[in-house]
Amino acid sequence: MTVAYYQKYRILSFLNPYNSEYLTSKFGLLEIHHLFVGAGWFGKHSFADQFIPEAHTNFVFLSFTYYYGWLFAAILIVILCLVALRIVFIAQNLNDTYSKLLLAGVVMVYTVQLVGNVGMIVGFFPMTNMSLPFISYGLMPILLNAFFIGIVLSIYRRKDLMLTKTLHGNQQ
């Protein structure tokens, strides 16, 4: 099994962030933590003073936090969590077990993406190629999340259809 240099570097910087080799790296956890803590409540409004690698994909939450502040990051997390909560509420109102399990899977994948990306920036998890749902740039993350929302909307649209089938089936 081969591992790319940056993947090995990210795992080693997570395990030993105070190593002098990782302190000077843009992939190092301490540099990411320094940018995250230095953002402040309202962020740094100058876009030219700091280079954030992969600011549009893996580190999009860091770039939003750095440029717009912790307040914007908190609002963004609340909005993304509300999407997951809405899917959970839809699943609770269903009578079909298969639909509930399908929505549970959608919520789990969505939550793993959200918690994985934010936890990576905060420093709870090692840095990986985890996208932030609906925010990160890239074809596959956008298509995956659009596919999941399509499943949720399809199930939500047919929830009354399942209920009427059940009611008519009991009358016969």
Side-chain angles (χ1 to χ4, degrees):
M1 180 172 98
T2 61
V3 176
Y5 78 95
Y6 64 89
Q7 293 171 333
K8 180 180 174 186
Y9 206 75
R10 288 176 176 183
I11 295 293
L12 290 175
S13 70
F14 177 73
L15 295 175
N16 188 9
Y18 297 106
N19 187 347
S20 62
E21 180 181 353
Y22 307 129
L23 286 174
T24 59
S25 169
K26 291 293 180 186
F27 289 118
L29 189 63
L30 290 179
E31 179 68 26
I32 301 296
H33 182 69
H34 180 265
L35 291 175
F36 185 75
V37 170
W41 283 103
F42 300 106
K44 311 283 184 188
H45 298 291
S46 174
F47 290 101
D49 63 345
Q50 185 64 39
F51 172 73
I52 299 173
E54 301 178 31
H56 59 288
T57 56
N58 297 336
F59 300 129
V60 69
F61 184 71
L62 174 66
S63 66
F64 278 154
T65 304
Y66 183 75
Y67 294 125
Y68 301 114
W70 296 332
L71 187 63
F72 181 81
I75 292 169
L76 182 64
I77 288 176
V78 166
I79 290 171
L80 291 174
C81 287
L82 286 175
V83 171
L85 283 175
R86 178 66 180 148
I87 297 171
V88 169
F89 288 140
I90 289 171
Q92 286 179 346
N93 293 331
L94 295 174
N95 294 327
D96 185 26
T97 307
Y98 178 74
S99 298
K100 282 185 178 184
L101 289 174
L102 197 58
L103 290 184
V106 167
V107 166
M108 287 304 299
V109 172
Y110 180 84
T111 305
V112 165
Q113 284 182 358
L114 179 63
V115 170
N117 189 285
V118 173
M120 172 182 74
I121 299 303
V122 174
F124 293 142
F125 303 125
M127 289 177 277
T128 60
N129 289 336
M130 186 71 63
S131 64
L132 190 64
F134 302 112
I135 308 294
S136 292
Y137 177 78
L139 179 65
M140 289 311 294
I142 295 295
L143 285 179
L144 178 72
N145 290 315
F147 178 70
F148 286 154
I149 293 300
I151 289 173
V152 171
L153 292 174
S154 177
I155 290 172
Y156 183 71
R157 188 176 132 231
R158 290 181 173 89
K159 72 176 173 52
D160 295 330
L161 180 66
M162 296 291 182
L163 184 62
T164 57
K165 275 186 176 178
T166 308
L167 291 175
H168 289 301
N170 291 338
Q171 290 177 355
Q172 294 177 353

